[in-house]
Amino acid sequence: MSMPERVKPLLLPLAALLAFEAWMRLAAVQSDSLAPPSAVALALAGALTDGSLLTATRDTLASAFAGLALGGAIGLMLGLALGLSHILDRLMEVTIEAVRPIPSVALLPIALIALGFGYRMEITIVSFACVWPVLIMTRSAVGGIEPRLIEVARVLRLTQLDRIRKIVIPAALPRIFLAFRLAAGIALIVAVTVEIAINPLGLGAGIMTAQQALRPDLMLAYLVWIGVTGFVLNTALMAAQTTLFGRAALIGDGP
């Protein structure tokens, strides 16, 4: 992609920021919830310089990645089991469909009583949220494997473990990786939400602290940084997906 083509997607956001900056300055708007983009940029630079933003980012990503790893592992194992066993899939269908719609943040009161404030509580909530996309996409990927591959495994008299290791997982791996990429975005969203709602650490707590201090510039700086963090994370995972499985793995895959 040429440089002009790379710049084009940035033109509209830049124009919107310039227009908003001009409106805030010319209209002399005083607000506890809005700030000019230039003030937000200065607050962002200050938070990066003093290290507070990086510390908050470390706390949030630690919880998000730990929850993703735990929830993803549970979802992967359950998805493989359900995809390989139609009987187990039918037995678990009602339970899964009854539990899956529960919002992860609805578990906050229970998790807080059981685990208290801190990483354990946040990781537990994030794990619950990450189980479902991995479970559902893994189950679908395993169920959609070409039947002839399963027949080959039977002809070769592979054990169930070898069948999973040599046939099932390699065939389903592109969609499993996509499931983890989607779950990574969910993990970041849920981690920040938990921190805003109740857990006094990370980027979410930083937003609430800035709001309580009547610092809209810093509050918006945190929001911008969360967006940048999510964009970088998704871009890195998309690059890894393309490297591992080729561009065909991204066909039909949303941003």
Side-chain angles (χ1 to χ4, degrees):
M1 185 183 294
S2 63
M3 185 57 67
E5 291 296 323
R6 293 177 184 273
V7 172
K8 280 183 180 179
L10 300 175
L11 295 179
L12 182 59
L14 288 175
L17 288 175
L18 290 173
F20 187 69
E21 176 80 22
W23 174 69
M24 290 286 292
R25 298 295 183 184
L26 294 176
V29 176
Q30 300 294 326
S31 174
D32 292 336
S33 58
L34 297 176
S38 58
V40 174
L42 289 174
L44 179 60
L48 285 171
T49 301
D50 65 24
S52 59
L53 189 57
L54 296 179
T55 300
T57 304
R58 178 203 64 195
D59 293 339
T60 296
L61 291 183
S63 297
F65 287 152
L68 174 63
L70 179 59
I74 295 172
L76 178 62
M77 290 186 292
L78 288 175
L80 288 172
L82 297 178
L84 291 169
S85 173
H86 295 294
I87 296 175
L88 182 61
D89 189 25
R90 292 296 298 273
L91 288 174
M92 294 293 294
E93 182 178 4
V94 174
T95 301
I96 290 174
E97 293 306 319
V99 176
R100 183 172 64 88
I102 298 175
S104 54
V105 291
L107 300 178
L108 279 175
I110 300 173
L112 183 60
I113 293 172
L115 302 172
F117 295 105
Y119 288 109
R120 289 194 304 165
M121 182 266 289
E122 188 170 334
I123 290 170
T124 300
I125 300 298
V126 173
S127 299
F128 178 83
C130 291
V131 164
W132 309 112
V134 177
L135 186 158
I136 291 170
M137 293 195 69
T138 300
R139 179 178 63 181
S140 175
V142 172
I145 291 176
E146 176 62 45
R148 284 177 295 183
L149 293 176
I150 305 300
E151 291 298 324
V152 169
R154 289 173 181 165
V155 170
L156 295 176
R157 296 182 179 179
L158 296 178
T159 65
Q160 184 71 4
L161 183 60
D162 285 339
R163 186 183 303 179
I164 294 172
R165 184 167 55 89
K166 297 180 179 180
I167 302 292
V168 173
I169 290 182
L173 194 56
R175 293 185 67 183
I176 292 174
F177 189 92
L178 174 59
F180 273 90
R181 183 161 72 84
L182 296 175
I186 294 172
L188 180 60
I189 293 170
V190 173
V192 173
T193 302
V194 171
E195 292 163 0
I196 289 175
I198 201 167
N199 207 24
L201 56 82
L203 294 170
I207 292 174
M208 295 306 297
T209 301
Q211 183 263 337
Q212 292 164 4
L214 300 180
R215 288 284 310 277
D217 55 340
L218 184 58
M219 180 177 65
L220 294 174
Y222 270 91
L223 290 175
V224 170
W225 182 255
I226 291 170
V228 170
T229 302
F231 177 80
V232 170
L233 176 61
N234 184 65
T235 300
L237 290 174
M238 285 186 66
Q241 185 175 349
T242 304
T243 301
L244 292 172
F245 309 113
R247 296 200 62 83
L250 299 176
I251 294 177
D253 174 18

